[in-house]
Every structure is written in C-alpha cells, then in structure tokens.
Amino acid sequence: MARRKKIYEGKAKILYEGPEPGTIVQYFKDDATAFNAEKKATIEGKGVLNNRLSEFFMTGLTQIGVPNHFIKRLNMREQLVRAAEIIPLEVIVRNFAAGSLSKRLGIPEGEPLPRPIIEFCYKDDALGDPLVAEEHIIAFGWASQQDLDDIVSLALRVNDFMSGLMLGVGIKLVDFKIEIGRVWDNDYQRLLVADEISPDSCRLWDIETGQKLDKDVFRRDLGSLSDAYTEVARRLGVLPSNVTHTTKPTLIN
Ligand code: 5GP
C-alpha cells in the first residue's frame, strides 16, 4: 500500500493527505505536552479517547447546525475531516476563572464569571501563544472584523452546546479552546470549527466534587489522565461501560 503523505505533525496530532481533494486524515497521538512542550509524556490510550470524544462533540455540533470540519471517523485513532485554512488563533471561552486568567488577573480559580469571556491567543509556539486583542488580529491581517464577529458567534454556540452537554453528565465546563478554519465554497468563504474538541483543550470539573477531568490532571500531576478522560467518555456514553483505555482496539463500522 502506498504511504500517505504527511502534511503536518503537531504535539498531539498528525495530519495526512485525505483520499479526496479537500479532505485530511487527522491522526490522534498518545503524546501529551504542557507548558509549551516543556513537559511531555506518552499517555496510553489518550489518542483513542480524544478521537472518539472529538467525533462525539463535532457530530453533536453538526446536529445543531454549527459548521465544523468533521466528516467521519475512520478507525480508533483517525478521522476524516474537511481541509481548512486554520486561522492562527486560539479562541478561548471561559465560564469560570481558572488557569492563565486567574494567574493574570488574580481571580480565584472557580469563581463564576459575569458572562462568558472570549480571549484570543496568537498561535506561535516560539512566542508561547501570546494573548492578543482584536486590534492586533485585524491590524496584522490574521482575520477580518467580519471573521471575528463570526468567530465569536461560533464560539458562543459551541459554549452553549458543550456547557449543556456536560451539565447533563454532572460536569462543569470551566473553559475551552477551539480553532477555526476557513473553507471556500466557490467564491464564498465560510468559517468552521476545526482541530479537535476534547479534554485536552477544555477544563472539565465534576460538579459535585470539583475533581478535574481534563488535561490539568497531567499539567498539575493530579493522577491518571487516561482515567480522567475515560470517565468523561463513559459519562457521555461514548464508551460502553465495560471498556477502559487499556482495552485492546477493535474494528468499528
Ligand atoms: P489557559 O489560558 O487558562 O491556560 O487555558 C484556557 C483553556 O484553553 C483551557 O481549557 C486549556 O486547556 C485551553 N488551551 C489553551 N491553550 C491551549 C493549547 O495550546 N492547547 C490545548 N490543547 N488547549 C489549550
């Protein structure tokens, strides 16, 4: 079989050329990194869980009419997605103070915010993904004002969807990061949710106990990351109750 052409390798995923023009195969690795890759580990099964969870969230977004890149899952670690030009921004939505917001502004972690706060970071590893203002984004041409309006609207729709979904399984959506892609339909540009939505890019706290069920478990050495992600997947019904991250891969339809 011919080898596939690798387009890009990031910290947690590899992108390969897809079978049709305009498609990409997104492969989820088991690698975990934090603090701009200063901390690294391989977490067995993480890629399988994130592939499944991202499929689950993106499929739900499609069902409520939020455009996203997901086409179909191919196997345990790969999904077919629509090729998109990624806008070089991390779009962060926060419902409760945590992480860098708490650090920057001295607001205790867990404090509810008066309204969802959207922040933008410029995607540049060498610079440590710095926080930027809309002024920078427009002045440097990363996105237009119209794009930003659309991005905010997409981000808030994702927030409402994800918050409700998580509430239903006893989890508080503290914050999350999404990435937005640009696609062209003839001469018309459309924006869609791209990359992944998974516990790697969200803060998820158990509503009753406050237990962290996201990548902070790895960042802050709080226990088993696979156990945390498996718990999220199991609560959402994404994994059958007898499956754990150590279960051997099986073929899916
Ligand atoms: P913070 O700015 O507090 O570090 O992160 C805010 C939210 O965005 C958290 O849910 C965090 O997981 C997510 N996030 C921020 N930067 C990144 C990143 O570079 N990669 C991933 N996967 N998530 C990020």
Side-chain angles (χ1 to χ4, degrees):
M1 199 171 77
R3 273 180 69 84
R4 292 177 300 185
K5 187 171 168 206
K6 192 194 276 190
I7 300 171
Y8 171 81
E9 178 157 5
K11 285 173 272 193
K13 293 187 294 298
I14 306 174
L15 303 181
Y16 297 98
E17 218 165 58
E20 312 284 342
T23 64
I24 282 179
V25 173
Q26 189 164 251
Y27 175 98
F28 288 76
K29 301 197 279 188
D30 280 345
D31 297 351
T33 63
F35 313 119
N36 207 8
E38 272 170 38
K39 180 172 179 171
K40 287 185 200 166
T42 301
I43 313 284
E44 200 190 330
K46 180 174 86 82
V48 173
L49 286 160
N50 281 353
N51 185 28
R52 280 296 243 147
L53 284 163
S54 201
E55 172 195 16
F56 180 74
F57 298 133
M58 296 285 185
T59 304
L61 287 175
T62 301
Q63 285 165 347
I64 62 160
V66 177
N68 66 82
H69 72 165
F70 183 81
I71 300 172
K72 66 174 178 179
R73 182 159 56 92
L74 299 172
N75 54 48
M76 295 286 279
R77 287 187 182 274
E78 295 179 329
Q79 49 183 244
L80 190 67
V81 300
R82 186 156 178 198
E85 181 190 316
I86 299 293
I87 294 179
L89 296 172
E90 294 188 337
V91 181
I92 293 170
V93 184
R94 301 179 185 273
N95 299 305
F96 297 84
S100 69
L101 177 89
S102 291
K103 223 178 188 173
R104 206 181 325 126
L105 302 179
I107 302 173
E109 288 211 315
E111 197 150 301
L113 299 172
R115 47 173 273 186
I117 292 179
I118 300 185
E119 294 175 343
F120 301 102
C121 293
Y122 179 52
K123 264 170 70 74
D124 185 316
D125 284 342
L127 299 174
D129 299 337
L131 185 70
V132 291
E134 294 199 2
E135 284 283 304
H136 300 110
I137 296 170
I138 293 165
F140 297 125
W142 301 323
S144 66
Q145 183 62 60
Q146 178 63 56
D147 289 338
L148 279 176
D149 293 347
D150 293 346
I151 290 170
V152 166
S153 154
L154 278 175
L156 290 175
R157 289 176 80 190
V158 173
N159 187 39
D160 286 346
F161 169 73
M162 291 291 293
S163 296
L165 196 61
M166 290 300 172
L167 176 67
V169 294
I171 294 174
K172 184 190 276 189
L173 178 64
V174 173
D175 57 30
F176 64 93
K177 182 265 301 185
I178 51 172
E179 295 186 21
I180 303 293
R182 215 187 279 284
V183 294
W184 295 90
D185 287 328
N186 299 315
D187 283 347
Y188 292 97
Q189 133 180 319
R190 283 196 310 127
L191 298 183
L192 41 71
V193 180
D195 189 52
E196 71 178 294
I197 302 179
S198 75
D200 265 9
S201 48
C202 301
R203 282 201 173 88
L204 305 170
W205 296 355
D206 181 273
I207 284 179
E208 296 295 328
T209 65
Q211 186 193 354
K212 293 181 178 24
L213 298 168
D214 56 64
K215 203 166 139 190
D216 275 349
V217 171
F218 169 70
R219 295 187 188 104
R220 303 180 189 190
D221 293 321
L222 299 175
S224 159
L225 193 71
S226 315
D227 286 354
Y229 288 19
T230 302
E231 176 63 15
V232 175
R234 187 174 286 154
R235 285 196 201 186
L236 290 165
V238 169
L239 290 181
S241 55
N242 60 343
V243 172
T244 71
H245 60 275
T246 52
T247 305
K248 290 267 177 293
T250 51
L251 284 175
I252 48 110
N253 295 318

